[in-house]
Amino acid sequence: MKKILVVEDNELNMKLFYDILTYQKFDVEKALDGLEAYEKIKNNDYDLIILDIQLPKLDGFSLLKKLNDDKIKFPNVIITSACAMDSDKQKAEGFGIKDYLTKPIDINAFIKTVKSYLL
Amino acid sequence: MTDLLHKTLNLIDDIINKSDVKSVDFYSDLLLMMSSLYEKSSLAIFFLENTDYTLKKAIKNSNFTDCSLKEKRIEDFLESDDEITEFTTKPDDFFSKYTLAIKLKIRESVFGFMLLSLNSKPDDSVKASFRAAVNIISYKIKDYELNDVFKLQLKALQDAIIEKENAYEIIKTQHKKLKELDKAKSLFLANISHELRTPLNAIIGFSQALDSEIFGSLNEKQKEYINDIQISGLHLLGMINEILDLSKFEANAMKFSPSEISPHQSINEVIGILEPLYKNKNISVEFISKYDGKILADYQKFQQILYNLLSNAIKFTPENGKIEIYSNKDKKDYILKIKDNGIGIDKKFHNKIFKKFIHLDNIYTKNQSSTGLGLTITKELVKLHKGKITLESEVNKGTTFIMQFKDILV
C-alpha cells in the first residue's frame, strides 16, 4: 500500500484529503504543521507528500528548504495552496515541484494527479 | 573723443566706483566734481517721483536754492521728445546766463533731470560730455533701483518656491501614504482571496465527494442540492478570482506571456465552453471570421476576454436571441466585435460600465452572481494586449463590444 503524507493545518481540508485518499486505498498519514511534517519525513519513507504552503511553525517552502539543507531525502510533492499568486508557483518550480494545485481543488483532478505519481 | 568728454567719463567712473549711489555723498561729490569740469558752473539734480529721502537730501545739499527757471518750461521740456535742451536764464544765486537741461532716463522712462548752468554758451563738447555723464548716472541710478526691485521680486520668488516646496512635500507625503494604502489594499485583497479559498476547498471538495457517490448513493433531491452547493461554490470562486485579478492589475503584478496564437481557434474553444449556457437559452452564436492568421497574445488572457464578453452577452440576451462574433484585421491591428440583441445599455451608462463594482440593472442581475468586476478586468486584459475596448448599444436593441488590438498581427 502506497504511503502518503498529507501536510495540512485546516482540519476540514485534512479530513477531505484523508477521506478521499483513504477511499482510493492509500495509506494516509497526517501532519498538522511544518515541524511535525519535518519529523515524520525524517523518520519515515513516504511515496508522496501532499503539502500546504501556509502552515504553523514552519511554512511549506521553509520545510522544503530545511529538508534540502539537512539533506533529508523526500519523495515527490504535490502542493495544494490557497495562494493563487504566480510568485508562489514560481517558488514551487524552484524546488522542482511541477504540481501546484490552487484551492479550491477539483477532487477528480487531484486524484488523477496523485495517481500519476503512484501507479 | 574730446578732452572734456574724456575727463567727464573718468570722473564719473571714479565717483561711481567710490561711493554708493544711494548715499548723500554720492550726489554732493558728483555735483561738486562735475562743476569743476565746467568753468563757473552750477549743477543740480532732480528726481521726479518716488525719490527717497537720501536723494532729496542730495539735491538740498547742492547750491541750488531758488529757481529763476520757470517750472512750466521744465515741464514742457520733460514732455517733449528732446533729450537735452538749452535755456537762457536770468543769472541769480544758482543760474548763470545759459542753462542746459537733460533728462535722466532709462529706455523711455524719464525719472528726473539735471541742470547745468554756465556763463558762456555751451558748445558741442560741453553738451556731449554733460550728456555722457548724465547717461552714465541714469544707468547707475536705475540699475540700483532695478536691483532693489529685482531683490524684492527675488524674495517673492523665493517665498513662492518655499511655499511650493512645502506643498510639494505635502503632496509627496500624501502620495506615499496613498501608495502605501493602495499596496495595503492589494495585499488585503490577495489575503482575502487566500482566506476565502481555504473554506471553499472544503465546501466544493466535500460536495464533489458526495456527488461522486463514492461514499454511498444519493436520492434525487440530495443530488439536486449537492449540485446547487457546487454551483454556488463555483460562483463564489469566480468572484474570488475576479477580486484577485483586480488586485493583481492594481499592484501591476498581472503576468503577461504573449505567444503566437490562433485567435480563430481560441474563440471557437470559448464558444465550445459556453455552449451549454447559450443552448440552454436557445441563443444562436455565430462566428464570422475574416482573419484566420495568428496574433501575438497571451492565450489564457485572450480567452478570458472573450469568455467574459460572451458570457455577459449570453446573460443579457433573452431566450431565442442571437449573438454574433466578428473578427477582422485592419493593417496590423486585430479587430474583434461581439454583438448581441439583448437588453442593451442606456447611453448614460456607457462611460460607467468599465468602472469597478458597477451593476447596471438589478432586475437582470438578481439571479446572476456577479462582482461587477468582469468588465473592469476585461478592459484591463484588453489594455494588456495594447488594445482598446468600446461599445455601441441601444436599450432593447442590443450591445456590441468592439475591440481593436494594436499591432498584434503576426
Side-chain angles (χ1 to χ4, degrees):
Chain A
M1 208 190 241
K2 301 278 186 187
K3 231 166 127 181
I4 300 174
L5 177 70
V6 179
V7 190
E8 167 69 62
D9 65 324
N10 182 285
E11 277 180 46
L12 286 176
N13 283 327
M14 175 62 95
K15 184 168 148 190
L16 176 68
F17 291 138
Y18 185 87
D19 283 1
I20 55 173
L21 290 172
T22 308
Y23 177 81
Q24 297 292 330
K25 306 264 186 281
F26 293 118
D27 181 8
V28 183
E29 275 196 36
K30 302 173 181 176
L32 291 162
D33 62 66
L35 280 184
E36 189 189 345
Y38 176 82
E39 289 305 322
K40 287 201 162 156
I41 293 165
K42 198 173 152 188
N43 300 315
N44 297 278
D45 279 329
Y46 296 107
D47 298 296
L48 186 70
I49 298 169
I50 311 293
L51 180 65
D52 191 11
I53 292 301
Q54 281 213 329
L55 290 166
K57 291 178 190 170
L58 196 66
D59 71 69
F61 288 126
S62 302
L63 169 66
L64 290 168
K65 191 178 176 300
K66 194 169 161 57
L67 290 169
N68 280 335
D69 288 349
D70 298 349
K71 297 196 168 61
I72 293 167
K73 272 185 74 181
F74 59 92
N76 286 318
V77 176
I78 296 171
I79 288 177
T80 59
S81 172
C83 182
M85 293 306 247
D86 294 327
S87 55
D88 274 17
K89 284 177 195 164
Q90 281 163 7
K91 257 191 191 170
E93 278 168 25
F95 283 102
I97 295 166
K98 285 186 220 102
D99 287 296
Y100 186 109
L101 305 179
T102 305
K103 285 173 185 161
I105 56 167
D106 180 272
I107 291 301
N108 298 319
F110 173 69
I111 292 169
K112 226 171 120 183
T113 310
V114 169
K115 284 183 173 171
S116 76
Y117 285 102
L118 300 177
L119 296 180
Chain B
M1 201 186 281
T2 65
D3 200 31
L4 187 59
L5 180 58
H6 191 69
K7 270 194 212 162
T8 310
L9 294 179
N10 279 343
L11 177 75
I12 296 284
D13 203 34
D14 222 32
I15 299 167
I16 283 171
N17 284 335
K18 238 190 289 180
S19 50
D20 182 357
V21 73
K22 226 171 181 179
S23 72
V24 180
D25 290 349
F26 175 77
Y27 293 99
S28 39
D29 279 3
L30 181 75
L31 295 173
L32 201 70
M33 300 284 275
M34 274 183 75
S35 52
S36 75
L37 287 170
Y38 313 101
E39 253 178 280
K40 291 176 194 164
S41 64
S42 317
L43 266 156
I45 186 165
F46 296 85
F47 295 94
L48 290 179
E49 275 170 19
N50 302 326
T51 48
D52 64 23
Y53 176 75
T54 321
L55 298 179
K56 272 181 191 155
K57 211 168 160 194
I59 296 162
K60 221 178 155 190
N61 276 3
S62 73
N63 291 325
F64 179 67
T65 45
D66 195 16
C67 185
S68 66
L69 185 66
K70 289 286 172 282
E71 256 179 57
K72 181 78 178 82
R73 288 168 75 191
I74 291 289
E75 276 173 17
D76 286 348
F77 162 61
L78 291 175
E79 276 166 23
S80 76
D81 289 337
D82 301 334
E83 304 247 324
I84 186 165
T85 193
E86 194 185 319
F87 299 110
T88 41
T89 39
K90 196 177 139 202
D92 59 12
D93 280 355
F94 177 80
F95 288 103
S96 302
K97 217 175 153 187
Y98 303 96
T99 300
L100 279 177
I102 191 162
K103 288 173 184 166
L104 292 168
K105 72 186 257 188
I106 281 291
R107 294 201 188 95
E108 291 313 304
S109 113
V110 179
F111 63 94
F113 61 95
M114 268 182 97
L115 296 177
L116 171 65
S117 208
L118 300 157
N119 264 336
S120 54
K121 194 171 166 62
D123 62 11
D124 279 354
S125 74
V126 168
K127 279 184 193 169
S129 68
F130 186 46
R131 204 171 166 159
V134 170
N135 269 343
I136 294 170
I137 295 162
S138 297
Y139 273 99
K140 190 69 192 168
I141 293 166
K142 258 306 173 204
D143 192 33
Y144 190 88
E145 281 181 11
L146 284 175
N147 259 341
D148 258 12
V149 173
F150 179 67
K151 272 181 205 155
L152 274 177
Q153 284 176 336
L154 195 68
K155 175 87 173 62
L157 194 66
Q158 278 172 337
D159 288 349
I161 287 170
I162 289 168
E163 209 170 289
K164 257 190 190 160
E165 267 176 3
N166 288 342
Y168 177 69
E169 280 305 316
I170 291 168
I171 288 167
K172 227 169 92 179
T173 319
Q174 282 176 341
H175 179 70
K176 207 176 146 202
K177 267 190 203 158
L178 277 175
K179 257 180 121 171
E180 277 164 13
L181 273 176
D182 199 49
K183 216 173 155 190
K185 187 197 70 186
S186 295
L187 198 69
F188 172 74
L189 288 176
N191 280 341
I192 280 282
S193 145
H194 179 272
E195 295 305 323
L196 294 174
R197 275 166 197 279
T198 304
L200 204 52
N201 190 57
I203 294 170
I204 292 176
F206 284 122
S207 46
Q208 262 189 323
L210 277 180
D211 194 32
S212 65
E213 296 185 298
I214 53 176
F215 299 109
S217 57
L218 303 171
N219 66 35
E220 277 312 301
K221 208 66 192 167
Q222 285 165 336
K223 259 193 162 285
E224 186 191 319
Y225 286 177
I226 281 300
N227 197 38
D228 290 344
I229 294 171
Q230 284 188 67
I231 287 170
S232 297
L234 290 174
H235 268 147
L236 193 54
L237 178 62
M239 288 189 241
I240 292 165
N241 282 337
E242 285 186 346
I243 288 171
L244 185 67
D245 276 353
L246 191 74
S247 75
K248 278 183 189 168
F249 275 119
E250 292 189 343
N252 270 329
M254 185 52 97
K255 262 179 88 180
F256 181 61
S257 335
S259 60
E260 285 185 19
I261 68 158
S262 157
H264 188 82
Q265 184 193 334
S266 171
I267 291 164
N268 273 325
E269 271 176 34
V270 174
I271 294 171
I273 293 165
L274 289 169
E275 193 176 324
L277 281 184
Y278 65 79
K279 282 268 164 74
N280 201 24
K281 288 174 83 174
N282 201 28
I283 293 168
S284 76
V285 174
E286 201 182 344
F287 177 26
I288 302 141
S289 172
K290 288 193 175 157
Y291 175 72
D292 293 339
K294 296 208 161 175
I295 60 169
L296 200 65
D298 185 311
Y299 192 80
Q300 234 185 338
K301 295 189 169 68
F302 182 78
Q303 280 208 329
Q304 203 182 335
I305 294 169
L306 202 77
Y307 183 91
N308 288 354
L309 291 175
L310 189 55
S311 54
N312 256 357
I314 295 167
K315 204 190 280 183
F316 296 112
T317 298
E319 289 195 4
N320 308 314
K322 190 179 170 191
I323 295 170
E324 288 164 316
I325 302 167
Y326 301 92
S327 78
N328 208 342
K329 62 169 185 172
D330 176 12
K331 286 171 198 153
K332 292 286 272 178
D333 297 356
Y334 181 71
I335 315 283
L336 187 62
K337 291 184 191 179
I338 295 167
K339 184 182 174 190
D340 66 52
N341 66 348
I343 56 169
I345 301 158
D346 198 309
K347 253 212 157 64
K348 64 183 174 195
F349 295 122
H350 286 196
N351 284 330
K352 282 189 192 165
I353 197 161
F354 294 107
K355 299 232 165 80
K356 275 178 260 180
F357 305 111
I358 293 290
H359 295 275
L360 291 188
D361 203 325
N362 288 328
I363 298 164
Y364 295 97
T365 51
K366 70 175 181 188
N367 290 321
Q368 317 274 358
S369 301
S370 164
T371 49
L373 291 173
L375 280 176
T376 310
I377 288 163
T378 304
K379 191 185 174 180
E380 292 294 334
L381 289 168
V382 171
K383 252 167 72 184
L384 216 53
H385 288 86
K386 285 184 287 175
K388 249 180 99 173
I389 182 166
T390 51
L391 76 149
E392 287 166 4
S393 185
E394 225 177 295
V395 175
N396 294 327
K397 291 242 169 100
T399 304
T400 307
F401 280 96
I402 304 145
M403 282 157 285
Q404 179 144 6
F405 298 95
K406 263 229 136 350
D407 206 21
I408 64 165
L409 255 53
V410 179

